[in-house]
Amino acid sequence: MQSEARKRKVKSILVTLPKPDTEKSPYFELAKKYNVKVDFRSFIHVEGVPAKDFRKERINLADYTAVIFTSRNAADHFFRICEEMRHEVPAEMKYFCLSENIALYLQKYIQYRKRKIFFGKQTASDLAEVLKKNAAEKFLYPCSDVATEETQKFLQENGYNFTTAVLFRTVCSDLSDLANVFYDIIVFFSPSSIQSLYKNFPDFEQNTTRIAAFGASTQKAIQERNLIVDIPAPMPNAPSMTMAIEQYIKMVNK
């Protein structure tokens, strides 16, 4: 499969994410700079767990003094479930966010300065010091049904009193309209997106399509399907997906 045909010029890219809200996305810059067509299509979407199903878990929201957010989705569905359960979030609730972006996003729901909000750079271990200082708290960890185990593992290993609450599910999107559409590069960001590809197209063959994959778990899921990862990221010389794609385009579009 590593034939010359697989190294042909890149003219079209499909990014398996929703279209960015801002025109400043590096993908738009990439499209303009190299005159390539870049389309966006989310291969997966999120559905909230209804309050009636959440009640079956017998989790009493009033028992918790702190919440750990690993994504904006987690924040959205935590506040949604609180509203559906008619639970008023106490003013003294503490929030621990994996990144500053998530922390700033909380302004959608709460007064930022009045609450106790802590954030790390990207992982739970970044919050190690601040969590240690708040070890007496009873933590709620809102997540999806395919939550990454990293945060959970960190909390378990460090003996924190936490409860996992599955508040939303990751669901494969219907991609039937893409059946006869060809792209030179398809960009993946999660194992769930690979799952969606095969749910929609069980007989998918890579042929001359180049695959870009962000993160070790995504790359592993692709290789387990006997597909080739042509553009891996992050790499030391390409910390972002767009940088890795740009380097590849430079190489093949000479």
Side-chain angles (χ1 to χ4, degrees), residues 73 82 119 168 183 196 238 241 251:
N73 275 332
C82 287
F119 58 86
F168 54 104
Y183 288 91
S196 177
M241 192 74 258
M251 184 177 72

Side-chain angles (χ1 to χ4, degrees), residues 30 34 237-239 242-252:
L30 199 66
Y34 295 98
N237 61 342
T242 45
M243 285 171 78
I245 294 168
E246 181 169 13
Q247 287 177 18
Y248 183 84
I249 290 173
K250 276 183 187 172
M251 184 177 72
V252 297

Side-chain angles (χ1 to χ4, degrees), residues 69-88:
F69 291 130
T70 57
S71 68
R72 289 181 178 193
N73 275 332
D76 284 338
H77 289 284
F78 169 73
F79 289 105
R80 172 190 61 80
I81 213 83
C82 287
E83 194 178 325
E84 287 180 16
M85 306 275 286
R86 294 188 171 83
H87 170 71
E88 195 172 327

Side-chain angles (χ1 to χ4, degrees), residues 1-252:
M1 269 180 80
Q2 288 284 30
S3 62
E4 285 307 307
R6 286 183 58 72
K7 294 176 183 173
R8 66 186 185 182
K9 281 189 176 183
V10 172
K11 294 176 185 173
S12 59
I13 300 170
L14 178 64
V15 181
T16 62
L17 292 174
K19 190 175 180 180
D21 296 331
T22 169
E23 288 300 314
K24 288 182 179 176
S25 164
Y27 286 102
F28 295 131
E29 289 168 30
L30 199 66
K32 200 172 172 184
K33 189 173 177 182
Y34 295 98
N35 193 27
V36 294
K37 178 190 175 196
V38 178
D39 288 340
F40 294 87
R41 181 62 180 278
S42 189
F43 274 35
I44 52 175
H45 62 276
V46 159
E47 289 179 0
V49 169
K52 62 179 173 60
D53 292 349
F54 178 69
R55 281 192 183 94
K56 292 171 190 170
E57 299 301 314
R58 302 199 177 280
I59 292 172
N60 181 10
L61 295 169
D63 290 345
Y64 299 91
T65 56
V67 190
I68 296 171
F69 291 130
T70 57
S71 68
R72 289 181 178 193
N73 275 332
D76 284 338
H77 289 284
F78 169 73
F79 289 105
R80 172 190 61 80
I81 213 83
C82 287
E83 194 178 325
E84 287 180 16
M85 306 275 286
R86 294 188 171 83
H87 170 71
E88 195 172 327
V89 183
E92 58 275 15
M93 178 70 86
K94 292 181 182 178
Y95 302 93
F96 297 83
C97 306
L98 250 54
S99 71
E100 187 178 7
N101 278 346
I102 301 166
L104 291 170
Y105 183 70
L106 295 187
Q107 291 176 99
K108 184 177 174 183
Y109 298 102
I110 56 174
Q111 285 287 328
Y112 193 85
R113 290 186 188 88
K114 289 182 182 176
R115 307 292 173 118
K116 294 178 180 178
I117 300 174
F118 311 90
F119 58 86
K121 288 175 185 167
Q122 207 59 54
T123 65
S125 52
D126 295 332
L127 287 165
E129 286 305 308
V130 74
L131 282 170
K132 209 178 282 179
K133 288 174 188 170
N134 292 275
E137 304 295 339
K138 193 170 181 187
F139 296 93
L140 187 70
Y141 171 40
C143 60
S144 81
D145 56 334
V146 290
T148 51
E149 290 169 14
E150 193 184 337
T151 303
Q152 211 165 320
K153 193 178 169 193
F154 174 83
L155 296 168
Q156 278 167 345
E157 286 174 353
N158 289 278
Y160 290 107
N161 180 2
F162 78 99
T163 301
T164 301
V166 175
L167 300 185
F168 54 104
R169 298 186 184 101
T170 303
V171 182
C172 296
S173 301
D174 177 8
L175 308 172
S176 52
D177 57 308
L178 293 177
N180 298 309
V181 183
F182 173 84
Y183 288 91
D184 293 311
I185 295 174
I186 304 179
V187 190
F188 291 99
F189 293 87
S190 70
S192 304
S193 295
I194 312 298
Q195 192 184 337
S196 177
L197 172 73
Y198 278 93
K199 186 177 179 183
N200 281 277
F201 310 110
D203 302 322
F204 174 79
E205 286 183 17
Q206 189 172 2
N207 298 323
T208 58
T209 300
R210 271 63 56 88
I211 290 178
F214 193 87
S217 59
T218 309
Q219 290 160 26
K220 184 172 177 250
I222 290 166
Q223 287 157 349
E224 282 172 354
R225 296 280 189 174
N226 294 319
L227 302 176
I228 295 165
V229 178
D230 301 272
I231 310 165
M235 297 289 274
N237 61 342
S240 73
M241 192 74 258
T242 45
M243 285 171 78
I245 294 168
E246 181 169 13
Q247 287 177 18
Y248 183 84
I249 290 173
K250 276 183 187 172
M251 184 177 72
V252 297

